[in-house]
Amino acid sequence: MCGLLSRVRRAAPGRGLAAFLLVAAVAGACRKPGGAPAALSSSWQETLLRARGQTVAFAMWQGDSYINAYIRDFVAPRLHRDYGVELRTV
C-alpha cells in the first residue's frame, strides 16, 4: 500500500486527500482475478476512469466543525466535480 500512496503523491501533487480517497474507491471496487487490486497495476489515467461514478464511504470522527466543513464544503464537491466520485462521510 505504501508504494501505491507514493504513486498517488507523484501523480496528483497537492491533492493528497482527494487522490487517496479516489484510489481507495477504485482499490475497493476493482479486483483482478487472483485477488490483487486493479489499482496497483493500473496507470493513473485508468484509475481515474474506473473511479468515475463510484461512492466512497469515508469514516471520520466528525467531532470538529471546521474539519467537517472542510470535507463537506471543499473536498467532497471537488471530488465530484473533478473525478465524478461521491464522498459519503460515515
Side-chain angles (χ1 to χ4, degrees):
M1 188 65 153
C2 292
L4 178 61
L5 292 178
S6 64
R7 280 180 51 191
V8 168
R9 285 189 202 111
R10 285 192 308 269
R15 297 182 181 183
L17 179 60
F20 175 77
L21 292 171
L22 181 64
V23 170
V26 173
C30 303
R31 291 198 173 267
K32 287 186 170 185
L40 294 176
S41 62
S42 299
S43 72
W44 183 246
Q45 289 304 317
E46 289 174 297
T47 301
L48 292 176
L49 289 172
R50 286 188 179 128
R52 190 156 298 280
Q54 300 289 325
T55 298
V56 175
F58 182 52
M60 58 182 272
W61 173 51
Q62 298 188 29
D64 185 301
S65 60
Y66 294 108
I67 294 173
N68 297 345
Y70 171 72
I71 297 295
R72 180 188 64 240
D73 301 334
F74 183 80
V75 174
R78 279 160 185 78
L79 268 175
H80 190 266
R81 180 192 72 202
D82 296 347
Y83 303 108
V85 173
E86 181 184 339
L87 182 65
R88 183 173 50 91
T89 57
V90 295

Coordinates of all heavy atoms in Angstrom, one line a residue:
M1 N 0.8 -1.2 0.0 CA 0.0 0.0 0.0 C 0.9 1.3 0.0 O 0.5 2.2 -0.6 CB -0.9 0.0 1.2 CG -2.0 1.1 1.2 SD -3.1 0.9 -0.2 CE -4.5 1.6 0.5
C2 N 2.0 1.2 0.6 CA 2.9 2.4 0.7 C 3.4 2.8 -0.7 O 3.5 3.9 -1.0 CB 4.1 2.1 1.6 SG 3.7 2.0 3.3
G3 N 3.6 1.8 -1.6 CA 4.0 2.1 -3.0 C 2.9 2.8 -3.7 O 3.1 3.7 -4.5
L4 N 1.7 2.4 -3.5 CA 0.5 3.0 -4.1 C 0.4 4.4 -3.7 O 0.1 5.3 -4.5 CB -0.8 2.2 -3.8 CG -2.1 2.7 -4.3 CD1 -2.0 2.7 -5.8 CD2 -3.2 1.9 -3.9
L5 N 0.6 4.7 -2.4 CA 0.4 6.1 -1.9 C 1.5 7.0 -2.5 O 1.2 8.1 -2.8 CB 0.5 6.1 -0.3 CG -0.7 5.4 0.4 CD1 -0.5 5.5 1.9 CD2 -2.0 6.1 0.0
S6 N 2.7 6.5 -2.6 CA 3.7 7.3 -3.2 C 3.4 7.6 -4.7 O 3.7 8.7 -5.2 CB 5.1 6.6 -3.1 OG 5.2 5.4 -3.8
R7 N 2.8 6.6 -5.4 CA 2.4 6.8 -6.8 C 1.3 7.9 -6.8 O 1.3 8.7 -7.7 CB 1.8 5.5 -7.4 CG 2.9 4.6 -7.9 CD 2.3 3.4 -8.5 NE 1.2 3.7 -9.5 CZ 0.4 2.7 -10.0 NH1 0.5 1.5 -9.6 NH2 -0.5 3.1 -10.9
V8 N 0.4 7.9 -5.8 CA -0.7 8.9 -5.8 C -0.1 10.3 -5.6 O -0.4 11.2 -6.2 CB -1.7 8.6 -4.7 CG1 -2.6 9.7 -4.4 CG2 -2.5 7.3 -5.0
R9 N 0.9 10.4 -4.7 CA 1.5 11.7 -4.4 C 2.2 12.2 -5.6 O 2.1 13.4 -5.9 CB 2.5 11.6 -3.2 CG 1.8 11.4 -1.9 CD 2.8 11.5 -0.8 NE 2.2 10.9 0.4 CZ 2.7 9.8 0.9 NH1 3.7 9.2 0.4 NH2 2.1 9.3 2.0
R10 N 2.9 11.4 -6.4 CA 3.6 11.8 -7.6 C 2.6 12.2 -8.7 O 2.8 13.2 -9.4 CB 4.5 10.7 -8.1 CG 5.8 10.6 -7.3 CD 6.8 9.7 -8.0 NE 6.2 8.4 -8.5 CZ 6.2 7.3 -7.8 NH1 6.8 7.3 -6.6 NH2 5.7 6.2 -8.2
A11 N 1.5 11.5 -8.8 CA 0.5 11.7 -9.9 C -0.4 12.9 -9.6 O -0.8 13.5 -10.5 CB -0.3 10.4 -10.1
A12 N -0.6 13.2 -8.4 CA -1.6 14.3 -8.0 C -1.0 15.1 -6.9 O -1.6 15.1 -5.8 CB -2.9 13.7 -7.7
P13 N 0.1 15.8 -7.1 CA 0.6 16.6 -6.0 C -0.3 17.7 -5.6 O -1.0 18.3 -6.4 CB 1.9 17.2 -6.6 CG 1.7 17.2 -8.1 CD 0.8 16.0 -8.3
G14 N -0.4 17.9 -4.3 CA -1.3 18.9 -3.7 C -2.7 18.5 -3.6 O -3.6 19.2 -3.1
R15 N -3.0 17.3 -4.0 CA -4.4 16.8 -3.9 C -4.4 15.5 -3.1 O -5.1 14.6 -3.5 CB -5.0 16.5 -5.3 CG -5.1 17.8 -6.2 CD -5.7 17.4 -7.5 NE -5.8 18.6 -8.3 CZ -6.3 18.6 -9.5 NH1 -6.8 17.5 -10.0 NH2 -6.4 19.7 -10.2
G16 N -3.6 15.4 -2.1 CA -3.4 14.2 -1.4 C -4.6 13.5 -0.9 O -4.8 12.3 -1.2
L17 N -5.5 14.2 -0.1 CA -6.7 13.5 0.4 C -7.6 13.1 -0.7 O -8.1 12.0 -0.7 CB -7.4 14.5 1.4 CG -8.7 13.9 2.0 CD1 -8.4 12.6 2.8 CD2 -9.3 14.9 2.9
A18 N -7.9 14.0 -1.7 CA -8.8 13.7 -2.8 C -8.2 12.5 -3.6 O -9.0 11.5 -3.9 CB -9.0 14.9 -3.7
A19 N -6.9 12.5 -3.8 CA -6.3 11.4 -4.6 C -6.4 10.1 -3.8 O -6.7 9.0 -4.4 CB -4.9 11.7 -5.0
F20 N -6.1 10.1 -2.5 CA -6.2 8.9 -1.7 C -7.6 8.3 -1.7 O -7.7 7.1 -1.8 CB -5.7 9.2 -0.3 CG -5.8 8.0 0.6 CD1 -4.9 7.0 0.6 CD2 -6.9 7.9 1.5 CE1 -5.1 5.9 1.4 CE2 -7.1 6.8 2.3 CZ -6.1 5.8 2.2
L21 N -8.6 9.2 -1.5 CA -10.0 8.7 -1.5 C -10.3 8.1 -2.9 O -11.0 7.1 -2.9 CB -10.9 9.8 -1.1 CG -10.8 10.3 0.3 CD1 -11.6 11.5 0.5 CD2 -11.2 9.2 1.3
L22 N -9.9 8.7 -3.9 CA -10.1 8.2 -5.2 C -9.5 6.8 -5.4 O -10.2 5.9 -5.9 CB -9.5 9.2 -6.3 CG -9.7 8.9 -7.7 CD1 -11.2 8.9 -8.1 CD2 -9.0 9.9 -8.5
V23 N -8.3 6.7 -5.0 CA -7.6 5.3 -5.1 C -8.3 4.3 -4.2 O -8.5 3.2 -4.6 CB -6.1 5.4 -4.8 CG1 -5.5 4.1 -4.7 CG2 -5.4 6.2 -5.9
A24 N -8.8 4.8 -3.0 CA -9.4 3.8 -2.1 C -10.7 3.3 -2.8 O -11.1 2.2 -2.6 CB -9.7 4.5 -0.8
A25 N -11.4 4.2 -3.5 CA -12.7 3.8 -4.1 C -12.4 2.7 -5.2 O -13.1 1.7 -5.3 CB -13.4 5.0 -4.8
V26 N -11.4 3.0 -6.0 CA -11.0 2.0 -7.0 C -10.5 0.7 -6.5 O -10.9 -0.4 -6.9 CB -10.1 2.7 -8.0 CG1 -9.6 1.7 -9.1 CG2 -10.7 3.8 -8.7
A27 N -9.6 0.8 -5.5 CA -9.0 -0.4 -5.0 C -10.0 -1.3 -4.3 O -9.9 -2.5 -4.4 CB -7.9 0.0 -4.0
G28 N -11.0 -0.7 -3.7 CA -12.0 -1.5 -3.0 C -13.0 -2.1 -4.0 O -13.6 -3.1 -3.7
A29 N -13.2 -1.5 -5.2 CA -14.2 -1.9 -6.1 C -13.8 -2.8 -7.2 O -14.5 -3.5 -7.8 CB -14.9 -0.6 -6.7
C30 N -12.5 -2.6 -7.6 CA -12.0 -3.3 -8.7 C -10.9 -4.3 -8.4 O -9.9 -3.9 -7.9 CB -11.4 -2.3 -9.7 SG -12.6 -1.1 -10.2
R31 N -11.1 -5.6 -8.6 CA -10.1 -6.6 -8.3 C -9.9 -7.4 -9.6 O -10.8 -7.7 -10.3 CB -10.5 -7.5 -7.2 CG -10.5 -6.8 -5.9 CD -10.5 -7.8 -4.7 NE -10.4 -7.2 -3.5 CZ -9.2 -7.0 -2.9 NH1 -8.1 -7.4 -3.4 NH2 -9.1 -6.4 -1.7
K32 N -8.7 -7.8 -9.8 CA -8.3 -8.6 -10.9 C -8.5 -10.1 -10.4 O -8.4 -10.3 -9.2 CB -6.9 -8.4 -11.3 CG -6.7 -7.1 -12.1 CD -5.3 -7.1 -12.6 CE -5.1 -5.9 -13.6 NZ -3.8 -5.9 -14.2
P33 N -8.6 -11.0 -11.3 CA -8.6 -12.4 -10.9 C -7.3 -12.7 -10.1 O -6.3 -12.3 -10.5 CB -8.6 -13.2 -12.2 CG -9.2 -12.3 -13.2 CD -8.8 -10.9 -12.8
G34 N -7.4 -13.4 -9.1 CA -6.3 -13.7 -8.2 C -6.3 -12.8 -7.0 O -5.4 -13.0 -6.1
G35 N -7.1 -11.9 -6.9 CA -7.3 -11.1 -5.7 C -6.5 -9.8 -5.6 O -6.7 -9.1 -4.7
A36 N -5.6 -9.5 -6.5 CA -4.8 -8.3 -6.4 C -5.7 -7.1 -6.9 O -6.4 -7.2 -7.9 CB -3.6 -8.4 -7.3
P37 N -5.7 -6.0 -6.1 CA -6.4 -4.8 -6.5 C -5.9 -4.3 -7.9 O -4.7 -4.2 -8.1 CB -6.2 -3.8 -5.4 CG -5.7 -4.6 -4.2 CD -5.0 -5.8 -4.8
A38 N -6.9 -4.0 -8.7 CA -6.5 -3.5 -10.1 C -5.8 -2.2 -10.0 O -5.0 -1.9 -10.9 CB -7.8 -3.3 -10.9
A39 N -6.0 -1.4 -9.0 CA -5.4 -0.1 -8.9 C -3.9 -0.2 -8.7 O -3.1 0.7 -9.1 CB -5.9 0.7 -7.7
L40 N -3.4 -1.3 -8.3 CA -1.9 -1.5 -8.1 C -1.2 -1.7 -9.4 O 0.0 -1.3 -9.5 CB -1.6 -2.7 -7.2 CG -2.1 -2.6 -5.7 CD1 -1.8 -3.8 -5.0 CD2 -1.4 -1.4 -5.1
S41 N -1.9 -2.2 -10.4 CA -1.2 -2.4 -11.7 C -1.8 -1.5 -12.8 O -1.5 -1.6 -14.0 CB -1.4 -3.8 -12.1 OG -2.8 -4.1 -12.3
S42 N -2.6 -0.5 -12.4 CA -3.2 0.4 -13.4 C -2.4 1.7 -13.5 O -1.7 2.1 -12.6 CB -4.6 0.8 -13.0 OG -5.4 -0.3 -12.9
S43 N -2.5 2.4 -14.7 CA -1.9 3.7 -14.8 C -2.9 4.7 -14.0 O -4.0 4.3 -13.7 CB -1.8 4.1 -16.3 OG -3.1 4.4 -16.8
W44 N -2.4 5.9 -13.8 CA -3.2 6.9 -13.1 C -4.5 7.2 -13.9 O -5.6 7.3 -13.4 CB -2.4 8.2 -12.8 CG -3.2 9.2 -12.1 CD1 -3.6 10.4 -12.5 CD2 -3.7 9.0 -10.7 NE1 -4.3 11.0 -11.5 CE2 -4.4 10.2 -10.4 CE3 -3.6 8.0 -9.8 CZ2 -5.0 10.4 -9.2 CZ3 -4.2 8.2 -8.5 CH2 -4.9 9.4 -8.3
Q45 N -4.3 7.3 -15.2 CA -5.5 7.6 -16.1 C -6.5 6.5 -16.0 O -7.7 6.7 -16.0 CB -5.1 7.8 -17.5 CG -4.3 9.1 -17.7 CD -5.1 10.3 -17.3 OE1 -6.3 10.5 -17.5 NE2 -4.5 11.2 -16.6
E46 N -6.1 5.2 -16.0 CA -7.0 4.1 -15.8 C -7.7 4.2 -14.5 O -8.9 3.9 -14.4 CB -6.3 2.8 -15.9 CG -5.8 2.4 -17.3 CD -4.9 1.2 -17.3 OE1 -3.9 1.2 -16.7 OE2 -5.4 0.2 -17.9
T47 N -7.0 4.6 -13.4 CA -7.6 4.7 -12.1 C -8.6 5.8 -12.1 O -9.7 5.6 -11.5 CB -6.5 5.0 -11.1 OG1 -5.5 4.0 -11.1 CG2 -7.0 5.2 -9.7
L48 N -8.4 6.9 -12.7 CA -9.3 8.0 -12.8 C -10.6 7.5 -13.5 O -11.7 7.8 -13.1 CB -8.8 9.2 -13.5 CG -7.6 9.9 -12.8 CD1 -7.1 11.0 -13.7 CD2 -8.1 10.5 -11.5
L49 N -10.5 6.8 -14.6 CA -11.6 6.3 -15.4 C -12.4 5.3 -14.6 O -13.7 5.3 -14.6 CB -11.2 5.6 -16.7 CG -10.6 6.6 -17.7 CD1 -10.1 5.8 -18.9 CD2 -11.7 7.6 -18.2
R50 N -11.8 4.4 -13.8 CA -12.5 3.4 -13.0 C -13.2 4.1 -11.8 O -14.2 3.6 -11.3 CB -11.6 2.4 -12.5 CG -11.1 1.4 -13.5 CD -10.3 0.3 -12.9 NE -9.9 -0.7 -13.9 CZ -8.7 -1.1 -14.1 NH1 -7.7 -0.7 -13.3 NH2 -8.4 -1.9 -15.0
A51 N -12.7 5.2 -11.3 CA -13.3 5.9 -10.2 C -14.6 6.6 -10.5 O -15.4 6.7 -9.6 CB -12.3 6.8 -9.6
R52 N -14.7 7.1 -11.7 CA -15.9 7.9 -12.1 C -17.1 7.1 -11.8 O -17.3 5.9 -12.1 CB -15.8 8.3 -13.6 CG -16.9 9.3 -13.9 CD -16.5 10.1 -15.1 NE -15.3 10.9 -15.0 CZ -15.3 12.1 -14.4 NH1 -16.4 12.6 -13.8 NH2 -14.2 12.8 -14.3
G53 N -18.1 7.7 -11.1 CA -19.3 7.1 -10.7 C -19.3 6.3 -9.4 O -20.4 5.8 -9.0
Q54 N -18.2 6.2 -8.8 CA -18.1 5.4 -7.5 C -18.5 6.3 -6.3 O -18.4 7.5 -6.4 CB -16.6 4.9 -7.3 CG -16.1 4.0 -8.4 CD -16.8 2.7 -8.3 OE1 -17.1 2.2 -7.3 NE2 -17.0 2.1 -9.5
T55 N -18.8 5.7 -5.3 CA -19.1 6.4 -4.0 C -18.1 5.9 -3.0 O -17.8 4.7 -2.9 CB -20.5 6.1 -3.5 OG1 -21.4 6.6 -4.4 CG2 -20.8 6.7 -2.1
V56 N -17.5 6.8 -2.2 CA -16.5 6.5 -1.2 C -17.2 6.7 0.1 O -17.6 7.8 0.4 CB -15.2 7.3 -1.3 CG1 -14.3 7.0 -0.1 CG2 -14.5 7.0 -2.6
A57 N -17.2 5.7 1.0 CA -17.7 5.9 2.4 C -16.5 6.2 3.2 O -15.6 5.4 3.4 CB -18.4 4.6 2.9
F58 N -16.4 7.5 3.7 CA -15.2 8.0 4.4 C -15.5 8.1 5.9 O -16.3 8.9 6.3 CB -14.9 9.4 3.8 CG -13.7 10.0 4.4 CD1 -12.4 9.3 4.5 CD2 -13.7 11.3 4.9 CE1 -11.3 9.9 5.0 CE2 -12.6 11.9 5.4 CZ -11.4 11.2 5.4
A59 N -15.0 7.1 6.6 CA -15.2 7.1 8.1 C -14.3 8.2 8.7 O -13.1 8.1 8.6 CB -14.9 5.7 8.7
M60 N -15.0 9.1 9.4 CA -14.2 10.1 10.1 C -14.9 10.5 11.4 O -16.1 10.2 11.6 CB -14.1 11.4 9.2 CG -15.4 12.0 8.8 SD -15.2 13.4 7.7 CE -15.0 14.8 8.9
W61 N -14.1 11.0 12.3 CA -14.6 11.3 13.6 C -15.8 12.3 13.7 O -16.7 12.1 14.4 CB -13.4 11.9 14.5 CG -13.8 12.3 15.8 CD1 -14.5 11.7 16.8 CD2 -13.4 13.6 16.4 NE1 -14.5 12.4 17.9 CE2 -13.9 13.6 17.7 CE3 -12.7 14.7 15.9 CZ2 -13.7 14.7 18.5 CZ3 -12.5 15.8 16.8 CH2 -13.0 15.8 18.1
Q62 N -15.8 13.3 12.9 CA -16.9 14.3 12.8 C -17.1 15.1 14.1 O -18.1 15.6 14.3 CB -18.2 13.7 12.3 CG -18.0 13.1 10.9 CD -19.4 12.6 10.4 OE1 -20.4 13.2 10.7 NE2 -19.3 11.6 9.5
G63 N -16.0 15.2 14.9 CA -16.2 15.9 16.1 C -15.6 17.3 16.1 O -15.7 18.1 17.0
D64 N -15.1 17.7 14.9 CA -14.6 19.1 14.8 C -15.3 19.8 13.7 O -15.3 19.4 12.5 CB -13.1 19.0 14.5 CG -12.4 20.4 14.4 OD1 -12.9 21.2 13.6 OD2 -11.5 20.6 15.1
S65 N -16.0 20.9 14.0 CA -16.9 21.5 13.0 C -16.1 22.1 11.8 O -16.6 22.1 10.7 CB -17.7 22.6 13.6 OG -16.9 23.6 14.2
Y66 N -14.8 22.5 12.0 CA -14.0 23.0 11.0 C -13.6 21.9 10.0 O -13.6 22.1 8.8 CB -12.8 23.7 11.5 CG -13.1 25.0 12.3 CD1 -13.0 25.0 13.7 CD2 -13.6 26.1 11.6 CE1 -13.3 26.2 14.4 CE2 -13.9 27.3 12.3 CZ -13.8 27.3 13.7 OH -14.1 28.4 14.4
I67 N -13.2 20.8 10.5 CA -12.8 19.7 9.6 C -14.0 19.2 8.9 O -14.0 18.9 7.7 CB -12.1 18.6 10.4 CG1 -10.8 19.0 11.0 CG2 -12.0 17.3 9.6 CD1 -10.1 18.1 11.9
N68 N -15.2 19.1 9.6 CA -16.4 18.6 8.9 C -16.7 19.6 7.8 O -17.1 19.1 6.7 CB -17.6 18.6 9.9 CG -17.4 17.6 11.0 OD1 -16.5 16.8 11.0 ND2 -18.1 17.8 12.1
A69 N -16.7 20.9 8.0 CA -17.0 21.8 7.0 C -16.0 21.7 5.8 O -16.4 21.8 4.6 CB -17.0 23.3 7.5
Y70 N -14.7 21.5 6.1 CA -13.7 21.4 5.0 C -14.0 20.2 4.1 O -14.0 20.3 2.9 CB -12.3 21.2 5.7 CG -11.2 20.9 4.7 CD1 -10.8 21.8 3.8 CD2 -10.7 19.6 4.7 CE1 -9.8 21.5 2.9 CE2 -9.7 19.3 3.8 CZ -9.2 20.2 2.9 OH -8.3 19.8 2.0
I71 N -14.3 19.0 4.8 CA -14.6 17.8 4.0 C -15.9 18.0 3.2 O -16.0 17.7 2.0 CB -14.7 16.6 4.9 CG1 -13.4 16.3 5.6 CG2 -15.2 15.4 4.1 CD1 -12.2 15.9 4.7
R72 N -16.9 18.5 3.9 CA -18.3 18.7 3.3 C -18.3 19.8 2.2 O -18.8 19.6 1.1 CB -19.3 19.1 4.3 CG -20.7 19.3 3.8 CD -21.6 19.8 4.9 NE -21.2 21.1 5.3 CZ -20.9 21.4 6.6 NH1 -20.9 20.5 7.6 NH2 -20.5 22.7 6.9
D73 N -17.6 20.9 2.4 CA -17.7 22.1 1.6 C -16.6 22.2 0.6 O -16.7 23.0 -0.4 CB -17.8 23.4 2.4 CG -19.1 23.4 3.3 OD1 -20.0 22.7 3.0 OD2 -19.0 24.0 4.4
F74 N -15.5 21.6 0.8 CA -14.3 21.7 -0.1 C -13.9 20.4 -0.8 O -13.9 20.3 -2.0 CB -13.1 22.3 0.7 CG -11.9 22.5 -0.2 CD1 -11.8 23.7 -1.0 CD2 -10.9 21.6 -0.2 CE1 -10.7 23.9 -1.8 CE2 -9.8 21.8 -1.1 CZ -9.7 22.9 -1.8
V75 N -13.7 19.4 0.0 CA -13.2 18.1 -0.5 C -14.3 17.4 -1.4 O -14.0 17.0 -2.5 CB -12.6 17.2 0.6 CG1 -12.3 15.8 0.0 CG2 -11.4 17.8 1.2
A76 N -15.4 17.2 -0.8 CA -16.5 16.4 -1.4 C -16.9 17.1 -2.8 O -17.0 16.4 -3.8 CB -17.7 16.2 -0.5
P77 N -17.2 18.4 -2.8 CA -17.6 19.0 -4.1 C -16.5 18.8 -5.2 O -16.8 18.6 -6.3 CB -17.8 20.4 -3.8 CG -18.1 20.5 -2.3 CD -17.3 19.4 -1.7
R78 N -15.2 18.9 -4.8 CA -14.2 18.8 -5.7 C -14.0 17.4 -6.2 O -13.6 17.2 -7.4 CB -12.9 19.4 -5.2 CG -12.9 20.9 -5.3 CD -12.0 21.7 -4.4 NE -12.1 23.1 -4.5 CZ -13.1 23.8 -4.0 NH1 -14.1 23.2 -3.3 NH2 -13.2 25.1 -4.1
L79 N -14.1 16.5 -5.3 CA -14.0 15.1 -5.8 C -15.1 14.8 -6.8 O -14.9 14.1 -7.8 CB -14.3 14.1 -4.6 CG -13.0 13.6 -3.8 CD1 -13.5 12.8 -2.6 CD2 -12.1 12.9 -4.7
H80 N -16.3 15.3 -6.6 CA -17.4 15.1 -7.5 C -17.2 15.8 -8.8 O -17.3 15.3 -9.9 CB -18.7 15.5 -6.9 CG -19.9 15.1 -7.7 ND1 -20.5 16.0 -8.6 CD2 -20.6 14.0 -7.8 CE1 -21.5 15.3 -9.2 NE2 -21.6 14.1 -8.7
R81 N -16.8 17.1 -8.7 CA -16.5 17.9 -9.9 C -15.4 17.4 -10.7 O -15.5 17.3 -12.0 CB -16.3 19.4 -9.5 CG -16.0 20.3 -10.7 CD -15.5 21.7 -10.2 NE -14.1 21.5 -9.8 CZ -13.5 22.3 -9.0 NH1 -14.1 23.3 -8.5 NH2 -12.2 22.1 -8.7
D82 N -14.3 17.1 -10.1 CA -13.0 16.8 -10.8 C -13.0 15.3 -11.2 O -12.3 15.0 -12.2 CB -11.8 17.1 -10.0 CG -11.6 18.6 -9.7 OD1 -12.3 19.4 -10.4 OD2 -10.8 18.9 -8.9
Y83 N -13.6 14.4 -10.4 CA -13.4 13.0 -10.7 C -14.7 12.2 -10.8 O -14.7 11.0 -11.0 CB -12.6 12.4 -9.5 CG -11.2 13.0 -9.4 CD1 -10.9 13.8 -8.3 CD2 -10.2 12.8 -10.3 CE1 -9.7 14.4 -8.1 CE2 -9.0 13.4 -10.2 CZ -8.7 14.2 -9.1 OH -7.5 14.8 -8.9
G84 N -15.8 12.8 -10.5 CA -17.1 12.1 -10.6 C -17.3 11.1 -9.5 O -18.0 10.2 -9.6
V85 N -16.6 11.4 -8.3 CA -16.7 10.5 -7.2 C -17.5 11.1 -6.1 O -17.3 12.3 -5.8 CB -15.3 10.1 -6.7 CG1 -15.4 9.3 -5.4 CG2 -14.5 9.4 -7.7
E86 N -18.5 10.4 -5.6 CA -19.3 10.9 -4.5 C -18.6 10.5 -3.1 O -18.3 9.4 -2.9 CB -20.7 10.4 -4.5 CG -21.6 10.9 -3.4 CD -23.0 10.2 -3.4 OE1 -23.4 9.7 -4.4 OE2 -23.6 10.3 -2.3
L87 N -18.5 11.5 -2.2 CA -17.9 11.2 -0.9 C -19.0 11.2 0.1 O -19.8 12.2 0.2 CB -16.9 12.3 -0.6 CG -16.2 12.1 0.8 CD1 -15.3 10.9 0.8 CD2 -15.3 13.3 1.1
R88 N -19.2 10.1 0.8 CA -20.2 10.0 1.8 C -19.5 9.8 3.2 O -18.7 8.8 3.3 CB -21.1 8.8 1.5 CG -22.2 8.6 2.5 CD -23.2 7.5 2.1 NE -22.5 6.3 1.7 CZ -22.3 5.3 2.6 NH1 -22.7 5.4 3.8 NH2 -21.7 4.2 2.2
T89 N -19.6 10.7 4.1 CA -19.0 10.6 5.4 C -19.9 9.7 6.3 O -21.1 9.8 6.3 CB -18.7 11.9 6.1 OG1 -19.9 12.7 6.2 CG2 -17.7 12.7 5.2
V90 N -19.2 8.8 7.0 CA -19.9 8.0 8.0 C -19.2 8.0 9.4 O -18.1 8.4 9.5 CB -19.9 6.5 7.5 CG1 -20.8 6.4 6.2 CG2 -18.6 6.0 7.3

